[in-house]
Amino acid sequence: MIPTFFGITLVCFLLTQFVPGGPVEQSLLAMRGLTGGGPATAQTADGPVDLTEQYRQQLNAHYGFDKPILTRYGNWLIRDCCGLKTHSYQYTDKTAWDLIRQRIPVSLWFGIPGFFLTYLVCIPLGIAKAVRRGTPFDLVSSVFVFIGYAIPAFAFGMLLKMLFCGTVDGLWDVLPLGGLESENYLALSPWGRFVDRFRHMFLPVLCYMIGSFAMLTLLVKNSLLDQLGSDYVRTVLAKGATMRRAVWAHALRNALIPVATGFGSILTLLFAGSVIIENVFDIPGMGLLSLEALTTRDYPVFLGLMSVTSGLGLLGQMLSDFCYVWIDPRIRLDR
């Protein structure tokens, strides 16, 4: 995990230092716009400076670009705690960690229910499809599963808004267009706050589920079918055990091993949110913050988010390894 984290952060840090359109170029463009364009001078605290040379050098020193690249990376990694202590270019009075800390609870409001509902629905549905393979239930459910797999998350979100948010005349207007809560949220009773938050969460959580619904369902189904065709299951059935006992007591545990590979990405989704879904429903979470940091070239916030999400992704991969051992005790990571 440690060398992988260093590799991810170093590559992303180098990209932000050399790609065009950074904070220096944006400051020069803004100053040229104020002076009417073209070569000009700007009045600073140290007197008039030339926009093309002196001002660029001062900006490079201000943003730290006048130092060697490895020195900058070391300062960012150690002194600034992976960029979390650096101040945002857009919100100058806040550090990257201040902005990230405000958005994590918002992403958790949608990530945790989406995670539990996805697994509570997909695992039983995959088991039912495997046990009833070839029946009308399997065929009909497969149609809905493949439709959900084919529709992108942003398109599905827009369809839900058209159907339930009154964006098209003649359709239902029962749910809010987006956001986390209503304007009068604090004035509501505790039950009213719960209902208001539920109404705002319903469509985004549904989009979270659709994003991994089809793949997880088919993964559980195919994995369980492989186990049901194994010799040990046939031996259990030959000894007189019922199919229910063979599935729940023997085959299911081994079938869940491939499912554990998705825990790493789920952990990232819980905290980091979804850029597409949060943008569609205007949710001020981690995903929308990362999109804003990219579009405005707010590199301190972007790099801080990158370090947090990279760490969560690597921790999720380690969690998957522990889940392997917990599900199948025959697996030993030290051999």
Side-chain angles (χ1 to χ4, degrees), residues 137-177:
F137 171 79
D138 183 30
L139 299 177
V140 173
S141 60
S142 295
V143 172
F144 289 100
V145 167
F146 284 115
I147 290 176
Y149 181 75
I151 300 178
F154 73 91
F156 185 70
M158 296 303 297
L159 288 175
L160 292 176
K161 292 178 70 172
M162 291 174 58
L163 289 174
F164 299 105
C165 300
T167 56
V168 178
D169 293 337
L171 297 179
W172 303 298
D173 185 9
V174 295
L175 294 174
L177 278 171

Side-chain angles (χ1 to χ4, degrees), residues 112-148:
I112 293 178
F115 168 75
F116 284 105
L117 290 176
T118 298
Y119 278 84
L120 287 176
V121 172
C122 294
I123 292 180
L125 181 59
I127 295 173
K129 288 175 63 63
V131 174
R132 304 176 185 178
R133 182 184 182 185
T135 62
F137 171 79
D138 183 30
L139 299 177
V140 173
S141 60
S142 295
V143 172
F144 289 100
V145 167
F146 284 115
I147 290 176

Side-chain angles (χ1 to χ4, degrees), residues 13 19 25 30 36 56 73 76 93 115 186 188 198 223-224 256 272 282-283 295 317 320:
F13 186 84
V19 294
E25 287 80 2
R56 178 183 289 273
Y73 176 72
W76 175 86
D93 59 333
F115 168 75
L186 296 178
L188 298 174
F198 176 81
S223 180
L224 184 57
L256 291 179
D282 194 22
I283 301 171
T295 54
Q317 296 301 321
S320 299

Side-chain angles (χ1 to χ4, degrees), residues 235-292:
T235 302
V236 171
L237 295 175
K239 290 183 176 180
T242 63
M243 177 59 72
R244 180 185 297 272
R245 179 174 177 79
V247 171
W248 293 98
H250 299 277
L252 180 60
R253 186 168 184 173
N254 292 328
L256 291 179
I257 295 177
V259 179
T261 59
F263 288 165
S265 59
I266 289 296
L267 182 62
T268 306
L269 183 61
L270 284 179
F271 291 91
S274 172
V275 177
I276 296 176
I277 295 175
E278 292 184 6
N279 189 33
V280 170
F281 292 98
D282 194 22
I283 301 171
M286 293 271 285
L288 192 58
L289 178 63
S290 63
L291 180 62
E292 294 173 353

